[in-house]
Amino acid sequence: MMQLYWSPRSRSFSSLWLMEETGQPYERVLTDITTGAQKKLEYLAINPMGKVPALKDGEATLAEAAAICAYVAERYHEARLAPPLGDPLRAKYLYWLFFAPGCVEPAMVQIATKIEMNSVAAGWGDSQRVFDVLDVALTKGPWLLGDNFSAADIAIGSGLNFAVRLFKMVPARPSFDAYIARCMARPAFQRAEKIAAG
């Protein structure tokens, strides 16, 4: 059984939601970052970066939310959270899955901290453009892959829920609000929110 290391009110929400979407049993291992649990040696053996979430699957361990999404979606292919190899939608799926940590998260931090960055030097480019590109994609909807919900929606949906709805770091847009509402309507999202709330 997979073990998910998580903490309330953290980026590990996406992994909770992911595991709930699979419908498979898993063990939740509370790693409360408010108490410094992520700095203990036994946890650092799983994730040397000392962040949550992390996942243990037998002898395999990994961290980083998008990597966990990719791994779990492939391990539990019957949950249909990723297009299979050879499917033309797989390219778009991978793009959006890694757009979340590669573009959305740094753009959120840039907006929140008001740090000025040269858009050529910044790996994510320009924060305004990041959210404009996402806006166009979500207007097409209902999901990033059209009618097919995927782990990419978990990665992007978690980020937008955090940045737009919960912490109002990023200005709301009609496409963002509608997309977040669709995410929140999913039973697995609702179960994950209850777990995260304690």
Side-chain angles (χ1 to χ4, degrees), residues 28-45:
R28 291 187 300 274
V29 181
L30 180 62
T31 309
D32 193 343
I33 59 176
T34 64
T35 65
Q38 77 280 17
K39 296 177 184 176
K40 293 183 177 176
L41 290 177
E42 52 273 17
Y43 184 72
L44 292 173

PDB file of all heavy atoms in Angstrom, residues 28-45:
ATOM      1  N   ARG A  28      -2.097   7.463   4.960  1.00  0.00           N
ATOM      2  CA  ARG A  28      -1.683   8.851   5.137  1.00  0.00           C
ATOM      3  C   ARG A  28      -0.744   8.933   6.332  1.00  0.00           C
ATOM      4  O   ARG A  28      -1.091   8.482   7.426  1.00  0.00           O
ATOM      5  CB  ARG A  28      -2.896   9.754   5.362  1.00  0.00           C
ATOM      6  CG  ARG A  28      -3.752   9.908   4.138  1.00  0.00           C
ATOM      7  CD  ARG A  28      -4.851  10.945   4.333  1.00  0.00           C
ATOM      8  NE  ARG A  28      -5.762  10.605   5.423  1.00  0.00           N
ATOM      9  CZ  ARG A  28      -6.828   9.816   5.299  1.00  0.00           C
ATOM     10  NH1 ARG A  28      -7.115   9.270   4.134  1.00  0.00           N
ATOM     11  NH2 ARG A  28      -7.608   9.573   6.328  1.00  0.00           N
ATOM     12  N   VAL A  29       0.425   9.521   6.113  1.00  0.00           N
ATOM     13  CA  VAL A  29       1.400   9.689   7.177  1.00  0.00           C
ATOM     14  C   VAL A  29       1.528  11.191   7.432  1.00  0.00           C
ATOM     15  O   VAL A  29       2.118  11.925   6.631  1.00  0.00           O
ATOM     16  CB  VAL A  29       2.773   9.081   6.801  1.00  0.00           C
ATOM     17  CG1 VAL A  29       3.758   9.245   7.955  1.00  0.00           C
ATOM     18  CG2 VAL A  29       2.620   7.618   6.405  1.00  0.00           C
ATOM     19  N   LEU A  30       0.954  11.639   8.538  1.00  0.00           N
ATOM     20  CA  LEU A  30       0.983  13.057   8.870  1.00  0.00           C
ATOM     21  C   LEU A  30       2.419  13.500   9.131  1.00  0.00           C
ATOM     22  O   LEU A  30       3.125  12.915   9.961  1.00  0.00           O
ATOM     23  CB  LEU A  30       0.109  13.331  10.096  1.00  0.00           C
ATOM     24  CG  LEU A  30       0.049  14.788  10.563  1.00  0.00           C
ATOM     25  CD1 LEU A  30      -0.559  15.677   9.487  1.00  0.00           C
ATOM     26  CD2 LEU A  30      -0.759  14.880  11.849  1.00  0.00           C
ATOM     27  N   THR A  31       2.846  14.499   8.397  1.00  0.00           N
ATOM     28  CA  THR A  31       4.177  15.077   8.545  1.00  0.00           C
ATOM     29  C   THR A  31       3.948  16.568   8.736  1.00  0.00           C
ATOM     30  O   THR A  31       4.026  17.353   7.789  1.00  0.00           O
ATOM     31  CB  THR A  31       5.035  14.787   7.293  1.00  0.00           C
ATOM     32  OG1 THR A  31       4.974  13.383   7.016  1.00  0.00           O
ATOM     33  CG2 THR A  31       6.477  15.196   7.494  1.00  0.00           C
ATOM     34  N   ASP A  32       3.617  16.950   9.953  1.00  0.00           N
ATOM     35  CA  ASP A  32       3.160  18.308  10.238  1.00  0.00           C
ATOM     36  C   ASP A  32       4.314  19.296  10.152  1.00  0.00           C
ATOM     37  O   ASP A  32       5.185  19.331  11.026  1.00  0.00           O
ATOM     38  CB  ASP A  32       2.494  18.349  11.607  1.00  0.00           C
ATOM     39  CG  ASP A  32       1.731  19.642  11.839  1.00  0.00           C
ATOM     40  OD1 ASP A  32       1.970  20.629  11.100  1.00  0.00           O
ATOM     41  OD2 ASP A  32       0.899  19.672  12.753  1.00  0.00           O
ATOM     42  N   ILE A  33       4.304  20.114   9.103  1.00  0.00           N
ATOM     43  CA  ILE A  33       5.405  21.055   8.896  1.00  0.00           C
ATOM     44  C   ILE A  33       5.401  22.183   9.925  1.00  0.00           C
ATOM     45  O   ILE A  33       6.424  22.837  10.120  1.00  0.00           O
ATOM     46  CB  ILE A  33       5.400  21.618   7.456  1.00  0.00           C
ATOM     47  CG1 ILE A  33       4.089  22.343   7.151  1.00  0.00           C
ATOM     48  CG2 ILE A  33       5.655  20.506   6.452  1.00  0.00           C
ATOM     49  CD1 ILE A  33       4.039  23.012   5.779  1.00  0.00           C
ATOM     50  N   THR A  34       4.274  22.396  10.617  1.00  0.00           N
ATOM     51  CA  THR A  34       4.249  23.445  11.648  1.00  0.00           C
ATOM     52  C   THR A  34       5.021  23.030  12.890  1.00  0.00           C
ATOM     53  O   THR A  34       5.397  23.872  13.701  1.00  0.00           O
ATOM     54  CB  THR A  34       2.806  23.820  12.043  1.00  0.00           C
ATOM     55  OG1 THR A  34       2.169  22.681  12.640  1.00  0.00           O
ATOM     56  CG2 THR A  34       2.016  24.299  10.840  1.00  0.00           C
ATOM     57  N   THR A  35       5.285  21.732  13.030  1.00  0.00           N
ATOM     58  CA  THR A  35       6.052  21.244  14.184  1.00  0.00           C
ATOM     59  C   THR A  35       7.487  20.871  13.809  1.00  0.00           C
ATOM     60  O   THR A  35       8.245  20.411  14.658  1.00  0.00           O
ATOM     61  CB  THR A  35       5.370  20.011  14.810  1.00  0.00           C
ATOM     62  OG1 THR A  35       5.403  18.939  13.862  1.00  0.00           O
ATOM     63  CG2 THR A  35       3.934  20.305  15.207  1.00  0.00           C
ATOM     64  N   GLY A  36       7.822  21.044  12.517  1.00  0.00           N
ATOM     65  CA  GLY A  36       9.174  20.698  12.065  1.00  0.00           C
ATOM     66  C   GLY A  36       9.359  19.229  11.746  1.00  0.00           C
ATOM     67  O   GLY A  36      10.496  18.758  11.597  1.00  0.00           O
ATOM     68  N   ALA A  37       8.270  18.474  11.598  1.00  0.00           N
ATOM     69  CA  ALA A  37       8.375  17.034  11.334  1.00  0.00           C
ATOM     70  C   ALA A  37       9.124  16.734  10.045  1.00  0.00           C
ATOM     71  O   ALA A  37       9.740  15.674   9.905  1.00  0.00           O
ATOM     72  CB  ALA A  37       6.979  16.407  11.299  1.00  0.00           C
ATOM     73  N   GLN A  38       9.107  17.663   9.113  1.00  0.00           N
ATOM     74  CA  GLN A  38       9.773  17.459   7.826  1.00  0.00           C
ATOM     75  C   GLN A  38      11.297  17.546   7.933  1.00  0.00           C
ATOM     76  O   GLN A  38      12.007  17.221   6.990  1.00  0.00           O
ATOM     77  CB  GLN A  38       9.250  18.466   6.787  1.00  0.00           C
ATOM     78  CG  GLN A  38       9.802  19.879   6.925  1.00  0.00           C
ATOM     79  CD  GLN A  38       9.136  20.726   8.006  1.00  0.00           C
ATOM     80  OE1 GLN A  38       8.451  20.238   8.892  1.00  0.00           O
ATOM     81  NE2 GLN A  38       9.362  22.027   7.938  1.00  0.00           N
ATOM     82  N   LYS A  39      11.796  17.950   9.092  1.00  0.00           N
ATOM     83  CA  LYS A  39      13.248  18.088   9.289  1.00  0.00           C
ATOM     84  C   LYS A  39      13.858  16.890  10.007  1.00  0.00           C
ATOM     85  O   LYS A  39      15.067  16.824  10.194  1.00  0.00           O
ATOM     86  CB  LYS A  39      13.544  19.364  10.084  1.00  0.00           C
ATOM     87  CG  LYS A  39      13.134  20.624   9.342  1.00  0.00           C
ATOM     88  CD  LYS A  39      13.366  21.858  10.189  1.00  0.00           C
ATOM     89  CE  LYS A  39      12.856  23.091   9.463  1.00  0.00           C
ATOM     90  NZ  LYS A  39      12.973  24.287  10.291  1.00  0.00           N
ATOM     91  N   LYS A  40      13.024  15.943  10.394  1.00  0.00           N
ATOM     92  CA  LYS A  40      13.528  14.761  11.097  1.00  0.00           C
ATOM     93  C   LYS A  40      14.280  13.859  10.126  1.00  0.00           C
ATOM     94  O   LYS A  40      13.924  13.750   8.951  1.00  0.00           O
ATOM     95  CB  LYS A  40      12.384  14.004  11.758  1.00  0.00           C
ATOM     96  CG  LYS A  40      11.745  14.799  12.887  1.00  0.00           C
ATOM     97  CD  LYS A  40      10.669  14.019  13.588  1.00  0.00           C
ATOM     98  CE  LYS A  40      10.123  14.838  14.758  1.00  0.00           C
ATOM     99  NZ  LYS A  40       9.029  14.173  15.414  1.00  0.00           N
ATOM    100  N   LEU A  41      15.299  13.194  10.620  1.00  0.00           N
ATOM    101  CA  LEU A  41      16.156  12.369   9.769  1.00  0.00           C
ATOM    102  C   LEU A  41      15.387  11.289   9.022  1.00  0.00           C
ATOM    103  O   LEU A  41      15.663  11.026   7.852  1.00  0.00           O
ATOM    104  CB  LEU A  41      17.281  11.749  10.593  1.00  0.00           C
ATOM    105  CG  LEU A  41      18.357  12.712  11.094  1.00  0.00           C
ATOM    106  CD1 LEU A  41      19.375  11.982  11.947  1.00  0.00           C
ATOM    107  CD2 LEU A  41      19.039  13.410   9.927  1.00  0.00           C
ATOM    108  N   GLU A  42      14.415  10.666   9.689  1.00  0.00           N
ATOM    109  CA  GLU A  42      13.670   9.605   9.015  1.00  0.00           C
ATOM    110  C   GLU A  42      12.854  10.143   7.830  1.00  0.00           C
ATOM    111  O   GLU A  42      12.685   9.466   6.827  1.00  0.00           O
ATOM    112  CB  GLU A  42      12.796   8.799   9.982  1.00  0.00           C
ATOM    113  CG  GLU A  42      11.872   9.582  10.862  1.00  0.00           C
ATOM    114  CD  GLU A  42      12.474  10.070  12.187  1.00  0.00           C
ATOM    115  OE1 GLU A  42      13.694  10.100  12.354  1.00  0.00           O
ATOM    116  OE2 GLU A  42      11.671  10.440  13.052  1.00  0.00           O
ATOM    117  N   TYR A  43      12.374  11.389   7.952  1.00  0.00           N
ATOM    118  CA  TYR A  43      11.656  11.975   6.820  1.00  0.00           C
ATOM    119  C   TYR A  43      12.627  12.436   5.732  1.00  0.00           C
ATOM    120  O   TYR A  43      12.372  12.251   4.538  1.00  0.00           O
ATOM    121  CB  TYR A  43      10.759  13.142   7.238  1.00  0.00           C
ATOM    122  CG  TYR A  43       9.956  13.649   6.058  1.00  0.00           C
ATOM    123  CD1 TYR A  43       8.909  12.900   5.541  1.00  0.00           C
ATOM    124  CD2 TYR A  43      10.291  14.830   5.414  1.00  0.00           C
ATOM    125  CE1 TYR A  43       8.205  13.318   4.424  1.00  0.00           C
ATOM    126  CE2 TYR A  43       9.588  15.266   4.298  1.00  0.00           C
ATOM    127  CZ  TYR A  43       8.543  14.500   3.813  1.00  0.00           C
ATOM    128  OH  TYR A  43       7.854  14.913   2.696  1.00  0.00           O
ATOM    129  N   LEU A  44      13.747  13.000   6.130  1.00  0.00           N
ATOM    130  CA  LEU A  44      14.741  13.442   5.146  1.00  0.00           C
ATOM    131  C   LEU A  44      15.300  12.281   4.332  1.00  0.00           C
ATOM    132  O   LEU A  44      15.749  12.475   3.205  1.00  0.00           O
ATOM    133  CB  LEU A  44      15.872  14.202   5.842  1.00  0.00           C
ATOM    134  CG  LEU A  44      15.473  15.561   6.441  1.00  0.00           C
ATOM    135  CD1 LEU A  44      16.623  16.143   7.252  1.00  0.00           C
ATOM    136  CD2 LEU A  44      15.020  16.528   5.353  1.00  0.00           C
ATOM    137  N   ALA A  45      15.222  11.070   4.877  1.00  0.00           N
ATOM    138  CA  ALA A  45      15.637   9.885   4.110  1.00  0.00           C
ATOM    139  C   ALA A  45      14.661   9.634   2.953  1.00  0.00           C
ATOM    140  O   ALA A  45      15.041   9.049   1.937  1.00  0.00           O
ATOM    141  CB  ALA A  45      15.707   8.661   5.018  1.00  0.00           C
TER     142      ALA A  45
END
